[in-house]
Amino acid sequence: MAKHQITVTVNGAAHAAEVDSRLLLVHLIRDELRLTGTHIGCDTTHCGACTVLLDGKPTKSCTVLAVQADGAEIGTVEGLAGADGMNALQEGFWEKHGLQCGFCTPGMLMTGMALLAENPDPSEMEIREAISGNLCRCTGYVNIVKAVQYAADKLANTANTANTGEAS
């Protein structure tokens, strides 16, 4: 099998790897880079548990070959928390009970992050549309939607506080 030298930036860190032509991105992330927060749920693009941000776009990493990601910026769930702890969306999942078993959570978080980056004030319907490619077998989605709304509100309040110079 042909091997290819690729370079990807994952959560801000550059990685070089020699990969087989048919290696899926999800396997590069989990097996080679040891970032196991990206889950494998179906290998058929149906569940969304493997969703990562590929150049800022939510992408099911079981549908992309690692060689196709050469030169790309990849965001995984491991890259969400900052030095201060959880980001607003992670906090929303915690505060609004947006998870039960947690298996779909990494994909939901990555999809939610992409939505909030594109639309900082999404409606309930826009949130539901955005997460429609990510299956959750436990929650019924109500609290996941509430978690994204929580994050949108928190980010808006943080931006308003920063713009007015007020302490929160």
Side-chain angles (χ1 to χ4, degrees), residues 120-161:
D121 187 25
S123 68
E124 178 182 343
M125 191 54 63
E126 289 168 326
I127 295 168
R128 288 183 178 280
E129 170 110 8
I131 65 172
S132 66
N134 296 73
L135 298 180
C136 177
R137 294 169 177 94
C138 302
T139 67
Y141 302 96
V142 172
N143 290 348
I144 293 171
V145 171
K146 287 179 182 178
V148 176
Q149 291 169 327
Y150 173 99
D153 290 344
K154 181 167 183 164
L155 292 170
N157 288 335
T158 302
N160 289 339
T161 301

PDB file of all heavy atoms in Angstrom, residues 120-161:
ATOM      1  N   PRO A 120     -23.582  33.459  16.137  1.00  0.00           N
ATOM      2  CA  PRO A 120     -23.470  33.565  17.593  1.00  0.00           C
ATOM      3  C   PRO A 120     -24.803  33.642  18.339  1.00  0.00           C
ATOM      4  O   PRO A 120     -24.819  33.532  19.561  1.00  0.00           O
ATOM      5  CB  PRO A 120     -22.661  34.845  17.795  1.00  0.00           C
ATOM      6  CG  PRO A 120     -22.734  35.576  16.523  1.00  0.00           C
ATOM      7  CD  PRO A 120     -23.041  34.606  15.439  1.00  0.00           C
ATOM      8  N   ASP A 121     -25.903  33.796  17.616  1.00  0.00           N
ATOM      9  CA  ASP A 121     -27.210  33.878  18.267  1.00  0.00           C
ATOM     10  C   ASP A 121     -28.221  32.999  17.525  1.00  0.00           C
ATOM     11  O   ASP A 121     -29.203  33.482  16.954  1.00  0.00           O
ATOM     12  CB  ASP A 121     -27.692  35.332  18.298  1.00  0.00           C
ATOM     13  CG  ASP A 121     -28.966  35.508  19.109  1.00  0.00           C
ATOM     14  OD1 ASP A 121     -29.224  34.685  20.014  1.00  0.00           O
ATOM     15  OD2 ASP A 121     -29.713  36.466  18.827  1.00  0.00           O
ATOM     16  N   PRO A 122     -28.000  31.682  17.535  1.00  0.00           N
ATOM     17  CA  PRO A 122     -28.885  30.801  16.770  1.00  0.00           C
ATOM     18  C   PRO A 122     -30.235  30.599  17.455  1.00  0.00           C
ATOM     19  O   PRO A 122     -30.332  30.576  18.682  1.00  0.00           O
ATOM     20  CB  PRO A 122     -28.108  29.493  16.711  1.00  0.00           C
ATOM     21  CG  PRO A 122     -27.306  29.496  17.981  1.00  0.00           C
ATOM     22  CD  PRO A 122     -26.950  30.941  18.222  1.00  0.00           C
ATOM     23  N   SER A 123     -31.260  30.439  16.642  1.00  0.00           N
ATOM     24  CA  SER A 123     -32.582  30.090  17.163  1.00  0.00           C
ATOM     25  C   SER A 123     -32.596  28.606  17.520  1.00  0.00           C
ATOM     26  O   SER A 123     -31.695  27.846  17.143  1.00  0.00           O
ATOM     27  CB  SER A 123     -33.656  30.360  16.107  1.00  0.00           C
ATOM     28  OG  SER A 123     -33.503  29.460  15.017  1.00  0.00           O
ATOM     29  N   GLU A 124     -33.632  28.194  18.219  1.00  0.00           N
ATOM     30  CA  GLU A 124     -33.753  26.771  18.545  1.00  0.00           C
ATOM     31  C   GLU A 124     -33.766  25.939  17.266  1.00  0.00           C
ATOM     32  O   GLU A 124     -33.109  24.889  17.196  1.00  0.00           O
ATOM     33  CB  GLU A 124     -35.028  26.511  19.345  1.00  0.00           C
ATOM     34  CG  GLU A 124     -35.219  25.044  19.656  1.00  0.00           C
ATOM     35  CD  GLU A 124     -36.499  24.716  20.424  1.00  0.00           C
ATOM     36  OE1 GLU A 124     -37.108  25.626  21.013  1.00  0.00           O
ATOM     37  OE2 GLU A 124     -36.862  23.526  20.430  1.00  0.00           O
ATOM     38  N   MET A 125     -34.474  26.391  16.258  1.00  0.00           N
ATOM     39  CA  MET A 125     -34.552  25.623  15.007  1.00  0.00           C
ATOM     40  C   MET A 125     -33.183  25.560  14.320  1.00  0.00           C
ATOM     41  O   MET A 125     -32.804  24.513  13.780  1.00  0.00           O
ATOM     42  CB  MET A 125     -35.598  26.239  14.068  1.00  0.00           C
ATOM     43  CG  MET A 125     -35.917  25.358  12.872  1.00  0.00           C
ATOM     44  SD  MET A 125     -36.429  23.666  13.289  1.00  0.00           S
ATOM     45  CE  MET A 125     -37.914  23.955  14.190  1.00  0.00           C
ATOM     46  N   GLU A 126     -32.428  26.648  14.363  1.00  0.00           N
ATOM     47  CA  GLU A 126     -31.091  26.646  13.754  1.00  0.00           C
ATOM     48  C   GLU A 126     -30.156  25.691  14.505  1.00  0.00           C
ATOM     49  O   GLU A 126     -29.336  25.011  13.881  1.00  0.00           O
ATOM     50  CB  GLU A 126     -30.523  28.062  13.741  1.00  0.00           C
ATOM     51  CG  GLU A 126     -31.224  28.962  12.734  1.00  0.00           C
ATOM     52  CD  GLU A 126     -30.888  30.432  12.890  1.00  0.00           C
ATOM     53  OE1 GLU A 126     -30.667  30.896  14.048  1.00  0.00           O
ATOM     54  OE2 GLU A 126     -30.852  31.131  11.856  1.00  0.00           O
ATOM     55  N   ILE A 127     -30.286  25.631  15.810  1.00  0.00           N
ATOM     56  CA  ILE A 127     -29.476  24.692  16.592  1.00  0.00           C
ATOM     57  C   ILE A 127     -29.858  23.264  16.211  1.00  0.00           C
ATOM     58  O   ILE A 127     -28.988  22.425  15.946  1.00  0.00           O
ATOM     59  CB  ILE A 127     -29.657  24.919  18.105  1.00  0.00           C
ATOM     60  CG1 ILE A 127     -29.126  26.296  18.505  1.00  0.00           C
ATOM     61  CG2 ILE A 127     -28.976  23.805  18.900  1.00  0.00           C
ATOM     62  CD1 ILE A 127     -29.522  26.728  19.908  1.00  0.00           C
ATOM     63  N   ARG A 128     -31.156  22.996  16.182  1.00  0.00           N
ATOM     64  CA  ARG A 128     -31.607  21.642  15.838  1.00  0.00           C
ATOM     65  C   ARG A 128     -31.153  21.242  14.435  1.00  0.00           C
ATOM     66  O   ARG A 128     -30.755  20.101  14.204  1.00  0.00           O
ATOM     67  CB  ARG A 128     -33.122  21.532  15.972  1.00  0.00           C
ATOM     68  CG  ARG A 128     -33.571  21.543  17.421  1.00  0.00           C
ATOM     69  CD  ARG A 128     -35.082  21.361  17.560  1.00  0.00           C
ATOM     70  NE  ARG A 128     -35.455  21.323  18.951  1.00  0.00           N
ATOM     71  CZ  ARG A 128     -35.354  20.268  19.738  1.00  0.00           C
ATOM     72  NH1 ARG A 128     -34.902  19.123  19.241  1.00  0.00           N
ATOM     73  NH2 ARG A 128     -35.715  20.322  20.999  1.00  0.00           N
ATOM     74  N   GLU A 129     -31.198  22.180  13.506  1.00  0.00           N
ATOM     75  CA  GLU A 129     -30.735  21.909  12.139  1.00  0.00           C
ATOM     76  C   GLU A 129     -29.236  21.606  12.145  1.00  0.00           C
ATOM     77  O   GLU A 129     -28.783  20.666  11.498  1.00  0.00           O
ATOM     78  CB  GLU A 129     -31.034  23.101  11.239  1.00  0.00           C
ATOM     79  CG  GLU A 129     -30.399  23.008   9.888  1.00  0.00           C
ATOM     80  CD  GLU A 129     -31.386  22.775   8.792  1.00  0.00           C
ATOM     81  OE1 GLU A 129     -32.594  22.820   9.039  1.00  0.00           O
ATOM     82  OE2 GLU A 129     -30.922  22.530   7.684  1.00  0.00           O
ATOM     83  N   ALA A 130     -28.464  22.406  12.880  1.00  0.00           N
ATOM     84  CA  ALA A 130     -27.011  22.229  12.906  1.00  0.00           C
ATOM     85  C   ALA A 130     -26.617  20.869  13.481  1.00  0.00           C
ATOM     86  O   ALA A 130     -25.690  20.233  12.981  1.00  0.00           O
ATOM     87  CB  ALA A 130     -26.362  23.349  13.709  1.00  0.00           C
ATOM     88  N   ILE A 131     -27.296  20.431  14.519  1.00  0.00           N
ATOM     89  CA  ILE A 131     -26.920  19.164  15.159  1.00  0.00           C
ATOM     90  C   ILE A 131     -27.627  17.955  14.552  1.00  0.00           C
ATOM     91  O   ILE A 131     -27.433  16.830  15.015  1.00  0.00           O
ATOM     92  CB  ILE A 131     -27.158  19.201  16.690  1.00  0.00           C
ATOM     93  CG1 ILE A 131     -28.637  19.339  17.030  1.00  0.00           C
ATOM     94  CG2 ILE A 131     -26.309  20.290  17.340  1.00  0.00           C
ATOM     95  CD1 ILE A 131     -28.962  19.190  18.517  1.00  0.00           C
ATOM     96  N   SER A 132     -28.401  18.173  13.503  1.00  0.00           N
ATOM     97  CA  SER A 132     -29.206  17.085  12.930  1.00  0.00           C
ATOM     98  C   SER A 132     -28.369  15.927  12.395  1.00  0.00           C
ATOM     99  O   SER A 132     -28.869  14.814  12.285  1.00  0.00           O
ATOM    100  CB  SER A 132     -30.138  17.612  11.839  1.00  0.00           C
ATOM    101  OG  SER A 132     -29.390  18.088  10.731  1.00  0.00           O
ATOM    102  N   GLY A 133     -27.114  16.141  12.102  1.00  0.00           N
ATOM    103  CA  GLY A 133     -26.251  15.065  11.631  1.00  0.00           C
ATOM    104  C   GLY A 133     -25.556  14.313  12.749  1.00  0.00           C
ATOM    105  O   GLY A 133     -24.747  13.434  12.491  1.00  0.00           O
ATOM    106  N   ASN A 134     -25.864  14.678  13.990  1.00  0.00           N
ATOM    107  CA  ASN A 134     -25.263  14.033  15.153  1.00  0.00           C
ATOM    108  C   ASN A 134     -26.366  13.338  15.937  1.00  0.00           C
ATOM    109  O   ASN A 134     -27.257  13.994  16.467  1.00  0.00           O
ATOM    110  CB  ASN A 134     -24.570  15.070  16.042  1.00  0.00           C
ATOM    111  CG  ASN A 134     -23.408  15.734  15.343  1.00  0.00           C
ATOM    112  OD1 ASN A 134     -23.607  16.553  14.460  1.00  0.00           O
ATOM    113  ND2 ASN A 134     -22.214  15.380  15.723  1.00  0.00           N
ATOM    114  N   LEU A 135     -26.278  12.032  16.020  1.00  0.00           N
ATOM    115  CA  LEU A 135     -27.305  11.259  16.705  1.00  0.00           C
ATOM    116  C   LEU A 135     -26.998  11.112  18.179  1.00  0.00           C
ATOM    117  O   LEU A 135     -25.877  10.827  18.576  1.00  0.00           O
ATOM    118  CB  LEU A 135     -27.432   9.866  16.085  1.00  0.00           C
ATOM    119  CG  LEU A 135     -27.841   9.822  14.625  1.00  0.00           C
ATOM    120  CD1 LEU A 135     -27.923   8.374  14.154  1.00  0.00           C
ATOM    121  CD2 LEU A 135     -29.157  10.532  14.409  1.00  0.00           C
ATOM    122  N   CYS A 136     -28.035  11.290  18.986  1.00  0.00           N
ATOM    123  CA  CYS A 136     -27.953  11.033  20.416  1.00  0.00           C
ATOM    124  C   CYS A 136     -29.025  10.004  20.730  1.00  0.00           C
ATOM    125  O   CYS A 136     -30.192  10.198  20.395  1.00  0.00           O
ATOM    126  CB  CYS A 136     -28.189  12.313  21.221  1.00  0.00           C
ATOM    127  SG  CYS A 136     -28.188  11.998  22.996  1.00  0.00           S
ATOM    128  N   ARG A 137     -28.627   8.954  21.372  1.00  0.00           N
ATOM    129  CA  ARG A 137     -29.569   7.882  21.676  1.00  0.00           C
ATOM    130  C   ARG A 137     -30.150   8.002  23.077  1.00  0.00           C
ATOM    131  O   ARG A 137     -30.938   7.189  23.489  1.00  0.00           O
ATOM    132  CB  ARG A 137     -28.870   6.542  21.499  1.00  0.00           C
ATOM    133  CG  ARG A 137     -28.505   6.285  20.048  1.00  0.00           C
ATOM    134  CD  ARG A 137     -27.575   5.081  19.919  1.00  0.00           C
ATOM    135  NE  ARG A 137     -27.279   4.800  18.539  1.00  0.00           N
ATOM    136  CZ  ARG A 137     -26.215   5.251  17.899  1.00  0.00           C
ATOM    137  NH1 ARG A 137     -25.353   6.016  18.510  1.00  0.00           N
ATOM    138  NH2 ARG A 137     -26.017   4.940  16.642  1.00  0.00           N
ATOM    139  N   CYS A 138     -29.738   9.035  23.833  1.00  0.00           N
ATOM    140  CA  CYS A 138     -30.134   9.129  25.242  1.00  0.00           C
ATOM    141  C   CYS A 138     -31.003  10.337  25.585  1.00  0.00           C
ATOM    142  O   CYS A 138     -31.934  10.213  26.357  1.00  0.00           O
ATOM    143  CB  CYS A 138     -28.900   9.200  26.141  1.00  0.00           C
ATOM    144  SG  CYS A 138     -27.751   7.848  26.009  1.00  0.00           S
ATOM    145  N   THR A 139     -30.659  11.514  25.072  1.00  0.00           N
ATOM    146  CA  THR A 139     -31.174  12.749  25.668  1.00  0.00           C
ATOM    147  C   THR A 139     -32.477  13.270  25.095  1.00  0.00           C
ATOM    148  O   THR A 139     -33.142  14.047  25.751  1.00  0.00           O
ATOM    149  CB  THR A 139     -30.161  13.896  25.534  1.00  0.00           C
ATOM    150  OG1 THR A 139     -30.031  14.235  24.143  1.00  0.00           O
ATOM    151  CG2 THR A 139     -28.829  13.536  26.142  1.00  0.00           C
ATOM    152  N   GLY A 140     -32.792  12.961  23.868  1.00  0.00           N
ATOM    153  CA  GLY A 140     -33.945  13.598  23.239  1.00  0.00           C
ATOM    154  C   GLY A 140     -33.628  14.994  22.738  1.00  0.00           C
ATOM    155  O   GLY A 140     -34.521  15.717  22.303  1.00  0.00           O
ATOM    156  N   TYR A 141     -32.382  15.436  22.827  1.00  0.00           N
ATOM    157  CA  TYR A 141     -31.859  16.683  22.267  1.00  0.00           C
ATOM    158  C   TYR A 141     -32.286  17.949  22.994  1.00  0.00           C
ATOM    159  O   TYR A 141     -31.693  18.996  22.790  1.00  0.00           O
ATOM    160  CB  TYR A 141     -32.201  16.820  20.770  1.00  0.00           C
ATOM    161  CG  TYR A 141     -31.679  15.686  19.940  1.00  0.00           C
ATOM    162  CD1 TYR A 141     -32.487  14.601  19.626  1.00  0.00           C
ATOM    163  CD2 TYR A 141     -30.373  15.682  19.479  1.00  0.00           C
ATOM    164  CE1 TYR A 141     -32.005  13.538  18.868  1.00  0.00           C
ATOM    165  CE2 TYR A 141     -29.886  14.635  18.721  1.00  0.00           C
ATOM    166  CZ  TYR A 141     -30.700  13.570  18.418  1.00  0.00           C
ATOM    167  OH  TYR A 141     -30.226  12.533  17.679  1.00  0.00           O
ATOM    168  N   VAL A 142     -33.311  17.928  23.830  1.00  0.00           N
ATOM    169  CA  VAL A 142     -33.812  19.144  24.477  1.00  0.00           C
ATOM    170  C   VAL A 142     -32.700  19.832  25.251  1.00  0.00           C
ATOM    171  O   VAL A 142     -32.481  21.039  25.103  1.00  0.00           O
ATOM    172  CB  VAL A 142     -35.014  18.822  25.393  1.00  0.00           C
ATOM    173  CG1 VAL A 142     -35.406  20.033  26.219  1.00  0.00           C
ATOM    174  CG2 VAL A 142     -36.189  18.332  24.560  1.00  0.00           C
ATOM    175  N   ASN A 143     -31.980  19.092  26.075  1.00  0.00           N
ATOM    176  CA  ASN A 143     -30.941  19.708  26.888  1.00  0.00           C
ATOM    177  C   ASN A 143     -29.698  20.058  26.091  1.00  0.00           C
ATOM    178  O   ASN A 143     -28.947  20.959  26.478  1.00  0.00           O
ATOM    179  CB  ASN A 143     -30.610  18.834  28.097  1.00  0.00           C
ATOM    180  CG  ASN A 143     -31.748  18.830  29.104  1.00  0.00           C
ATOM    181  OD1 ASN A 143     -32.672  19.630  29.027  1.00  0.00           O
ATOM    182  ND2 ASN A 143     -31.684  17.927  30.054  1.00  0.00           N
ATOM    183  N   ILE A 144     -29.475  19.375  24.985  1.00  0.00           N
ATOM    184  CA  ILE A 144     -28.370  19.750  24.098  1.00  0.00           C
ATOM    185  C   ILE A 144     -28.668  21.118  23.496  1.00  0.00           C
ATOM    186  O   ILE A 144     -27.802  21.994  23.454  1.00  0.00           O
ATOM    187  CB  ILE A 144     -28.139  18.678  23.015  1.00  0.00           C
ATOM    188  CG1 ILE A 144     -27.635  17.386  23.661  1.00  0.00           C
ATOM    189  CG2 ILE A 144     -27.165  19.185  21.955  1.00  0.00           C
ATOM    190  CD1 ILE A 144     -27.575  16.192  22.737  1.00  0.00           C
ATOM    191  N   VAL A 145     -29.893  21.331  23.055  1.00  0.00           N
ATOM    192  CA  VAL A 145     -30.297  22.635  22.519  1.00  0.00           C
ATOM    193  C   VAL A 145     -30.149  23.697  23.605  1.00  0.00           C
ATOM    194  O   VAL A 145     -29.606  24.784  23.363  1.00  0.00           O
ATOM    195  CB  VAL A 145     -31.737  22.586  21.965  1.00  0.00           C
ATOM    196  CG1 VAL A 145     -32.234  23.984  21.617  1.00  0.00           C
ATOM    197  CG2 VAL A 145     -31.806  21.658  20.758  1.00  0.00           C
ATOM    198  N   LYS A 146     -30.595  23.395  24.816  1.00  0.00           N
ATOM    199  CA  LYS A 146     -30.461  24.348  25.928  1.00  0.00           C
ATOM    200  C   LYS A 146     -28.995  24.670  26.206  1.00  0.00           C
ATOM    201  O   LYS A 146     -28.643  25.798  26.556  1.00  0.00           O
ATOM    202  CB  LYS A 146     -31.120  23.790  27.192  1.00  0.00           C
ATOM    203  CG  LYS A 146     -32.628  23.803  27.148  1.00  0.00           C
ATOM    204  CD  LYS A 146     -33.196  23.218  28.440  1.00  0.00           C
ATOM    205  CE  LYS A 146     -34.712  23.177  28.404  1.00  0.00           C
ATOM    206  NZ  LYS A 146     -35.257  22.572  29.638  1.00  0.00           N
ATOM    207  N   ALA A 147     -28.124  23.676  26.071  1.00  0.00           N
ATOM    208  CA  ALA A 147     -26.691  23.884  26.309  1.00  0.00           C
ATOM    209  C   ALA A 147     -26.103  24.853  25.282  1.00  0.00           C
ATOM    210  O   ALA A 147     -25.303  25.731  25.628  1.00  0.00           O
ATOM    211  CB  ALA A 147     -25.954  22.551  26.268  1.00  0.00           C
ATOM    212  N   VAL A 148     -26.497  24.709  24.024  1.00  0.00           N
ATOM    213  CA  VAL A 148     -26.003  25.625  22.987  1.00  0.00           C
ATOM    214  C   VAL A 148     -26.555  27.025  23.223  1.00  0.00           C
ATOM    215  O   VAL A 148     -25.830  28.020  23.089  1.00  0.00           O
ATOM    216  CB  VAL A 148     -26.351  25.097  21.576  1.00  0.00           C
ATOM    217  CG1 VAL A 148     -25.924  26.089  20.502  1.00  0.00           C
ATOM    218  CG2 VAL A 148     -25.709  23.728  21.333  1.00  0.00           C
ATOM    219  N   GLN A 149     -27.829  27.114  23.611  1.00  0.00           N
ATOM    220  CA  GLN A 149     -28.405  28.419  23.932  1.00  0.00           C
ATOM    221  C   GLN A 149     -27.685  29.062  25.111  1.00  0.00           C
ATOM    222  O   GLN A 149     -27.423  30.272  25.104  1.00  0.00           O
ATOM    223  CB  GLN A 149     -29.906  28.277  24.228  1.00  0.00           C
ATOM    224  CG  GLN A 149     -30.721  27.929  23.005  1.00  0.00           C
ATOM    225  CD  GLN A 149     -32.157  27.539  23.334  1.00  0.00           C
ATOM    226  OE1 GLN A 149     -32.436  26.944  24.376  1.00  0.00           O
ATOM    227  NE2 GLN A 149     -33.072  27.863  22.422  1.00  0.00           N
ATOM    228  N   TYR A 150     -27.370  28.283  26.128  1.00  0.00           N
ATOM    229  CA  TYR A 150     -26.625  28.762  27.290  1.00  0.00           C
ATOM    230  C   TYR A 150     -25.291  29.365  26.829  1.00  0.00           C
ATOM    231  O   TYR A 150     -24.906  30.459  27.250  1.00  0.00           O
ATOM    232  CB  TYR A 150     -26.394  27.608  28.262  1.00  0.00           C
ATOM    233  CG  TYR A 150     -25.501  27.927  29.433  1.00  0.00           C
ATOM    234  CD1 TYR A 150     -26.053  28.251  30.673  1.00  0.00           C
ATOM    235  CD2 TYR A 150     -24.118  27.889  29.325  1.00  0.00           C
ATOM    236  CE1 TYR A 150     -25.243  28.533  31.773  1.00  0.00           C
ATOM    237  CE2 TYR A 150     -23.304  28.175  30.416  1.00  0.00           C
ATOM    238  CZ  TYR A 150     -23.870  28.494  31.625  1.00  0.00           C
ATOM    239  OH  TYR A 150     -23.061  28.775  32.707  1.00  0.00           O
ATOM    240  N   ALA A 151     -24.571  28.624  25.984  1.00  0.00           N
ATOM    241  CA  ALA A 151     -23.267  29.092  25.502  1.00  0.00           C
ATOM    242  C   ALA A 151     -23.411  30.372  24.693  1.00  0.00           C
ATOM    243  O   ALA A 151     -22.619  31.300  24.848  1.00  0.00           O
ATOM    244  CB  ALA A 151     -22.594  28.003  24.670  1.00  0.00           C
ATOM    245  N   ALA A 152     -24.430  30.426  23.830  1.00  0.00           N
ATOM    246  CA  ALA A 152     -24.649  31.642  23.035  1.00  0.00           C
ATOM    247  C   ALA A 152     -24.903  32.832  23.946  1.00  0.00           C
ATOM    248  O   ALA A 152     -24.335  33.918  23.746  1.00  0.00           O
ATOM    249  CB  ALA A 152     -25.808  31.433  22.071  1.00  0.00           C
ATOM    250  N   ASP A 153     -25.734  32.650  24.964  1.00  0.00           N
ATOM    251  CA  ASP A 153     -26.024  33.731  25.914  1.00  0.00           C
ATOM    252  C   ASP A 153     -24.772  34.139  26.677  1.00  0.00           C
ATOM    253  O   ASP A 153     -24.500  35.324  26.851  1.00  0.00           O
ATOM    254  CB  ASP A 153     -27.126  33.309  26.893  1.00  0.00           C
ATOM    255  CG  ASP A 153     -28.488  33.197  26.243  1.00  0.00           C
ATOM    256  OD1 ASP A 153     -28.674  33.716  25.121  1.00  0.00           O
ATOM    257  OD2 ASP A 153     -29.374  32.569  26.860  1.00  0.00           O
ATOM    258  N   LYS A 154     -24.017  33.158  27.138  1.00  0.00           N
ATOM    259  CA  LYS A 154     -22.802  33.469  27.902  1.00  0.00           C
ATOM    260  C   LYS A 154     -21.794  34.212  27.036  1.00  0.00           C
ATOM    261  O   LYS A 154     -21.188  35.190  27.480  1.00  0.00           O
ATOM    262  CB  LYS A 154     -22.186  32.202  28.466  1.00  0.00           C
ATOM    263  CG  LYS A 154     -20.943  32.513  29.277  1.00  0.00           C
ATOM    264  CD  LYS A 154     -20.463  31.371  30.096  1.00  0.00           C
ATOM    265  CE  LYS A 154     -19.268  31.885  30.903  1.00  0.00           C
ATOM    266  NZ  LYS A 154     -18.929  31.046  31.985  1.00  0.00           N
ATOM    267  N   LEU A 155     -21.611  33.775  25.808  1.00  0.00           N
ATOM    268  CA  LEU A 155     -20.672  34.441  24.910  1.00  0.00           C
ATOM    269  C   LEU A 155     -21.130  35.862  24.591  1.00  0.00           C
ATOM    270  O   LEU A 155     -20.312  36.783  24.532  1.00  0.00           O
ATOM    271  CB  LEU A 155     -20.481  33.620  23.632  1.00  0.00           C
ATOM    272  CG  LEU A 155     -19.767  32.281  23.830  1.00  0.00           C
ATOM    273  CD1 LEU A 155     -19.846  31.443  22.559  1.00  0.00           C
ATOM    274  CD2 LEU A 155     -18.317  32.494  24.261  1.00  0.00           C
ATOM    275  N   ALA A 156     -22.443  36.045  24.413  1.00  0.00           N
ATOM    276  CA  ALA A 156     -22.973  37.386  24.148  1.00  0.00           C
ATOM    277  C   ALA A 156     -22.770  38.290  25.356  1.00  0.00           C
ATOM    278  O   ALA A 156     -22.368  39.453  25.220  1.00  0.00           O
ATOM    279  CB  ALA A 156     -24.449  37.315  23.778  1.00  0.00           C
ATOM    280  N   ASN A 157     -23.027  37.773  26.556  1.00  0.00           N
ATOM    281  CA  ASN A 157     -22.833  38.555  27.773  1.00  0.00           C
ATOM    282  C   ASN A 157     -21.366  38.903  27.981  1.00  0.00           C
ATOM    283  O   ASN A 157     -21.037  40.014  28.402  1.00  0.00           O
ATOM    284  CB  ASN A 157     -23.392  37.819  28.993  1.00  0.00           C
ATOM    285  CG  ASN A 157     -24.906  37.801  28.988  1.00  0.00           C
ATOM    286  OD1 ASN A 157     -25.551  38.660  28.391  1.00  0.00           O
ATOM    287  ND2 ASN A 157     -25.474  36.809  29.646  1.00  0.00           N
ATOM    288  N   THR A 158     -20.475  37.961  27.681  1.00  0.00           N
ATOM    289  CA  THR A 158     -19.037  38.209  27.806  1.00  0.00           C
ATOM    290  C   THR A 158     -18.605  39.291  26.825  1.00  0.00           C
ATOM    291  O   THR A 158     -17.848  40.187  27.175  1.00  0.00           O
ATOM    292  CB  THR A 158     -18.248  36.911  27.566  1.00  0.00           C
ATOM    293  OG1 THR A 158     -18.680  35.929  28.507  1.00  0.00           O
ATOM    294  CG2 THR A 158     -16.757  37.121  27.705  1.00  0.00           C
ATOM    295  N   ALA A 159     -19.129  39.203  25.595  1.00  0.00           N
ATOM    296  CA  ALA A 159     -18.775  40.211  24.582  1.00  0.00           C
ATOM    297  C   ALA A 159     -19.323  41.577  24.992  1.00  0.00           C
ATOM    298  O   ALA A 159     -18.638  42.599  24.849  1.00  0.00           O
ATOM    299  CB  ALA A 159     -19.318  39.800  23.209  1.00  0.00           C
ATOM    300  N   ASN A 160     -20.554  41.615  25.506  1.00  0.00           N
ATOM    301  CA  ASN A 160     -21.142  42.885  25.940  1.00  0.00           C
ATOM    302  C   ASN A 160     -20.355  43.491  27.095  1.00  0.00           C
ATOM    303  O   ASN A 160     -20.114  44.696  27.146  1.00  0.00           O
ATOM    304  CB  ASN A 160     -22.607  42.708  26.336  1.00  0.00           C
ATOM    305  CG  ASN A 160     -23.497  42.460  25.149  1.00  0.00           C
ATOM    306  OD1 ASN A 160     -23.141  42.788  24.019  1.00  0.00           O
ATOM    307  ND2 ASN A 160     -24.656  41.873  25.382  1.00  0.00           N
ATOM    308  N   THR A 161     -19.947  42.652  28.041  1.00  0.00           N
ATOM    309  CA  THR A 161     -19.159  43.121  29.170  1.00  0.00           C
ATOM    310  C   THR A 161     -17.819  43.658  28.706  1.00  0.00           C
ATOM    311  O   THR A 161     -17.370  44.715  29.164  1.00  0.00           O
ATOM    312  CB  THR A 161     -18.968  41.987  30.201  1.00  0.00           C
ATOM    313  OG1 THR A 161     -20.243  41.545  30.654  1.00  0.00           O
ATOM    314  CG2 THR A 161     -18.142  42.440  31.383  1.00  0.00           C
TER     315      THR A 161
END
